[in-house]
Amino acid sequence: MSTARPESGLAEHAYLCLRQAILDRRFEPGERLSVAVVAERLEVGRSPAREAIARITYEGLAQFEPNKGAVVANPDRGELVEIYEVREVLEGLACRLASQRVSAADLRDLRAILADQRAAIDSGDVARHYTVDMRFHARVREIAANSKLATQLYLLQDQIRLAMSTTHRSPGGMPLALAEHHRIVDALESRDVLLAEFAGRSHIARLRKDLAIVEPTSAISGPSVAEPSR
């Protein structure tokens, strides 16, 4: 029996590999994504590489430039603020929907995640905090049970992760993020849709405002930032 992947499987494999390579900065911001180079570096055929580049561009991790073709996106802080403006509304909606659908078991899960977040803060483990932070927001989206909303938020999250590798550290820090997460969970438990939406939006709005006013310091990359996933 042949073990070759179907063409659709090859395209999906190429897309996932290219996406991860960009987020891991194995393709640098501003780097040209030629079909030949992508195919060679990912060890895939040109057709799957071409489809992967098109999909990455559609999702905002790459952009088309005249005379160059697709290049890895290189968002600046202003563009990141715009992304947060959109995410503020969508995360608020996710919390609103989650407040209508949350169960006792869901609340226990969220509280357990907050305990993990506290442990990460107490140990000064920024990378772990980054991972737990993503788990928290993913769990809220899961509770909200709106696949279209979740898809858009995950796309924004990838763009934020890429942008955070080329922008600067914002003030606030991990303890403040944890306090805001607690307010979100408390609002979900209250089943108050307006309070839940406000808690979700306020969390993102604070980060957006921080990004708009923070003075540049030194470049950061990936999980080394205190709050990259929001």
Side-chain angles (χ1 to χ4, degrees), residues 160-213:
I160 288 168
R161 181 174 168 186
L162 178 62
M164 280 297 189
S165 71
T166 58
T167 52
H168 302 89
R169 186 181 301 274
S170 62
M174 297 184 289
L176 184 53
L178 176 61
E180 291 168 344
H181 284 178
H182 272 289
R183 285 195 285 272
I184 289 171
V185 176
D186 289 343
L188 296 184
E189 188 171 22
S190 76
R191 309 304 203 279
D192 185 325
V193 296
L194 295 180
L195 182 61
E197 183 169 10
F198 177 77
R201 290 193 62 157
S202 296
H203 175 46
I204 306 303
R206 190 266 302 174
L207 292 163
R208 172 178 54 78
K209 291 172 184 176
D210 285 348
L211 285 166
I213 65 174

Side-chain angles (χ1 to χ4, degrees), residues 3 14 51 54 62 121 172 199 228:
T3 59
E51 290 186 44
I121 293 170

Side-chain angles (χ1 to χ4, degrees), residues 77 103 154 187 225:
R77 190 170 53 189
S103 68
Y154 281 119
V225 68

Side-chain angles (χ1 to χ4, degrees), residues 90-112:
L90 297 185
E91 291 285 10
L93 176 57
C95 290
R96 182 187 184 98
L97 294 176
S99 72
Q100 297 171 302
R101 297 163 182 170
V102 69
S103 68
D106 293 329
L107 290 168
R108 286 194 296 271
D109 287 347
L110 289 170
R111 297 286 184 194

Side-chain angles (χ1 to χ4, degrees), residues 55-114:
R55 188 168 170 184
I56 287 295
T57 303
Y58 174 77
E59 293 183 355
L61 293 181
Q63 58 195 35
F64 183 83
E65 292 188 1
N67 303 318
K68 291 184 70 175
V71 299
V72 178
N74 190 19
D76 58 24
R77 190 170 53 189
E79 290 172 297
L80 184 57
V81 169
E82 291 182 354
I83 293 170
Y84 271 95
E85 287 173 341
V86 177
R87 191 174 181 198
E88 177 186 335
V89 176
L90 297 185
E91 291 285 10
L93 176 57
C95 290
R96 182 187 184 98
L97 294 176
S99 72
Q100 297 171 302
R101 297 163 182 170
V102 69
S103 68
D106 293 329
L107 290 168
R108 286 194 296 271
D109 287 347
L110 289 170
R111 297 286 184 194
I113 292 171
L114 295 184

